[in-house]
Amino acid sequence: MSDNLQLNPEGKLKHFLTIEGLNKSLLQEILDTAESFIGINDQQIKKVPLLRGKTIVNLFFENSTRTRTTFELAAKRLSADVLSMSISTSSTSKGESLLDTIRNLEAMFVDMFVVRHAISGAAHFIAQHTAPHISVINAGDGQHAHPTQAMLDMFTIRQIKKDFSRLRVAIIGDILHSRVARSEIQALNMLGVAEVRVIAPKTLLPAHVESLGVTVSHNLTEGLADIDVIIMLRLQKERMSSALLPSESEYFKCFGLTEDTLKNAKPDAIVMHPGPINRGVEIDSKVADGPQSVILKQVSNGIAIRMAIMAMAMQKQGSL
Ligand code: CP
C-alpha cells in the first residue's frame, strides 16, 4: 500500500497513512516538529493557535484508549475544533456505508479525519475518496499500519538513546497480527538502526518475515543479547482465527519479559510497549512498572507527535 497519495507535489505531508513510501528526512522533520511542541505540556495554558478555525473529526470504528485520547488532546492543544464520533451510537449501526458517513461529515466543512478501523486499508480508502482539501490520518487499520504509534515510539527512542545508527532493537511477541510491528520495522529501518530483531514463536511470525528487513530469533534469552531497545507486543487474540499457542501461561514461560529475562539485554536497555499491556501474559508487572520501562513516557509523547503530524498535514498547499 505504498503510494504518494500521502505527499503533495512539493513532497509535503498531505495524508499520514503508512510509513511505507515516506523518507528519512520527512520522519526526522516529524520528530523535530514534535520536539518543538513538547514544552507546551508544561505551559500554564497548554495551547497554540496553529489549527484555529480548523475542524477535525475522530472516527474510531474500533476501540482505543491511548490513540483516541491523545489525538483529541493534540487537536485541542493546536486550537482546532474537535469532534470525536461515537461509532456505536452513529448511523453506521443502521447500515450507513463508510463512504456515506464520510460524505455527510464532509458536508459539515470538515478539514481532517483521524480514522481507526478494523479493516486494513480503510484510512487509505477514505483518503482516495474524500474531498481534496481534507487530510486523513491513519490511527490504526487492521493488521496493516499504525504509523503515529511508530512515530511516537521513534520519538521516545531518540529522546533517550539520541542516535539511531548504533541501536539494536528487539520486537517481541505477536508480530503476525501486529500493525504496530509493521510500522515500527519500516520506521526503524528508514531511520537507520543497526538491527531490528524479531523474537517470537514461529506461529506468530508472518511468512518470509526476513524480507521486512529484520533478523529472527525464536529464543528470548538468546535473542535479547546486545539489545538496546525492547518493544513488547501483546497477543492480539481478536485477530487470531485459530489457536496458535498451547496456552497463555506456556507463552509467558517462553516469551514473557521478566526481571530475569531482561538481564539478557544490555544493562541500559529500555522497555517499550504500545499498550494495552497484558500483565503476566507478555510482560511481568515488575518490568512494566520497573526502572527500565518507558511505557508511560510513550503515552505522553503521543500528544506531541500527533500535534506534529496534524500540523504538518494542514500545512499542505499553504492551507495554514
Ligand atoms: N497503542 C494503541 O494503539 O493503544 P489504543 O488501542 O488504546 O489506542
Side-chain angles (χ1 to χ4, degrees):
M1 219 174 283
S2 158
D3 60 46
N4 277 339
L5 182 66
Q6 301 195 92
L7 304 178
N8 71 13
E10 290 80 47
K12 299 280 183 198
L13 208 59
K14 178 179 190 308
H15 305 293
F16 193 64
L17 306 173
T18 171
I19 301 293
E20 206 180 350
L22 301 182
N23 54 64
K24 185 174 180 178
S25 68
L26 188 70
L27 298 197
Q28 283 170 330
E29 189 185 342
I30 292 171
L31 298 178
D32 293 342
T33 307
E35 189 73 56
S36 75
F37 287 137
I38 273 286
I40 294 170
N41 292 323
D42 301 322
Q43 285 177 199
Q44 209 165 22
I45 297 169
K46 297 181 181 61
K47 263 190 191 300
V48 287
L50 269 177
L51 296 192
R52 192 162 56 195
K54 300 291 180 189
T55 303
I56 298 176
V57 177
N58 275 338
L59 280 171
F60 277 63
F61 294 89
E62 203 190 56
N63 294 341
S64 166
T65 298
R66 287 145 285 269
T67 312
R68 180 176 165 151
T69 45
T70 52
F71 260 115
E72 188 167 332
L73 280 173
K76 285 179 173 165
R77 289 188 184 172
L78 291 167
S79 306
D81 295 318
V82 194
L83 185 68
S84 285
M85 291 266 300
S86 175
I87 297 301
S88 59
T89 56
S90 76
S91 290
T92 303
S93 60
K94 297 181 204 161
E96 186 171 77
S97 74
L98 177 60
L99 216 45
D100 280 329
T101 303
I102 295 298
R103 293 269 179 269
N104 278 271
L105 291 166
E106 275 177 0
M108 300 173 205
F109 309 103
V110 163
D111 298 289
M112 180 181 283
F113 291 119
V114 176
V115 183
R116 168 168 289 193
H117 206 290
I119 297 175
S120 297
H124 193 270
F125 175 79
I126 294 171
Q128 277 176 317
H129 290 91
T130 199
H133 71 280
I134 295 178
S135 287
V136 179
I137 312 288
N138 184 4
D141 63 324
Q143 293 179 202
H144 171 238
H146 196 349
T148 63
Q149 178 70 46
M151 289 313 297
L152 75 88
D153 289 347
M154 297 309 111
F155 186 83
T156 307
I157 292 170
R158 191 176 81 163
Q159 214 174 31
I160 299 164
K161 297 288 183 186
K162 314 296 177 207
D163 177 16
F164 286 102
S165 70
R166 291 173 188 275
L167 295 181
R168 295 187 188 281
V169 181
I171 306 178
I172 303 171
D174 185 0
I175 315 289
L176 179 63
H177 300 100
S178 176
R179 57 193 175 207
V180 174
R182 278 168 188 69
S183 292
E184 306 269 29
I185 291 166
Q186 289 162 357
L188 287 163
N189 281 323
M190 212 171 270
L191 289 166
V193 295
E195 182 186 355
V196 184
R197 198 178 300 168
V198 293
I199 307 175
K202 283 185 184 145
T203 52
L204 294 182
L205 287 171
H208 313 297
V209 65
E210 292 91 347
S211 68
L212 300 176
V214 298
T215 57
V216 181
S217 171
H218 303 300
N219 180 300
L220 183 62
T221 307
E222 289 170 19
L224 281 172
D226 301 324
I227 287 296
D228 302 279
V229 176
I230 300 168
I231 301 175
M232 298 303 297
L233 300 173
R234 74 183 170 90
L235 298 175
Q236 288 135 93
K237 284 180 278 188
E238 71 277 19
R239 300 192 190 113
M240 291 184 192
S241 52
S242 59
L244 298 172
L245 297 165
S247 68
E248 282 184 0
S249 59
E250 194 62 28
Y251 177 77
F252 184 68
K253 259 191 240 162
C254 297
F255 291 95
L257 192 66
T258 63
E259 283 182 316
D260 268 353
T261 49
L262 179 56
K263 286 182 188 142
N264 293 290
K266 283 192 180 167
D268 62 347
I270 56 169
V271 177
M272 308 178 75
H273 195 312
I277 64 174
N278 290 157
R279 292 169 187 266
V281 179
E282 73 274 4
I283 190 165
D284 188 81
S285 280
K286 285 192 179 136
V287 177
D289 305 327
Q292 287 168 265
S293 169
V294 297
I295 295 171
L296 294 179
K297 194 182 265 294
Q298 289 171 260
V299 177
S300 304
N301 287 338
I303 302 173
I305 272 291
R306 289 172 174 131
M307 286 173 77
I309 290 164
M310 288 194 283
M312 285 170 65
M314 281 282 109
Q315 274 170 3
K316 65 185 187 293
Q317 297 147 1
S319 74
L320 271 187

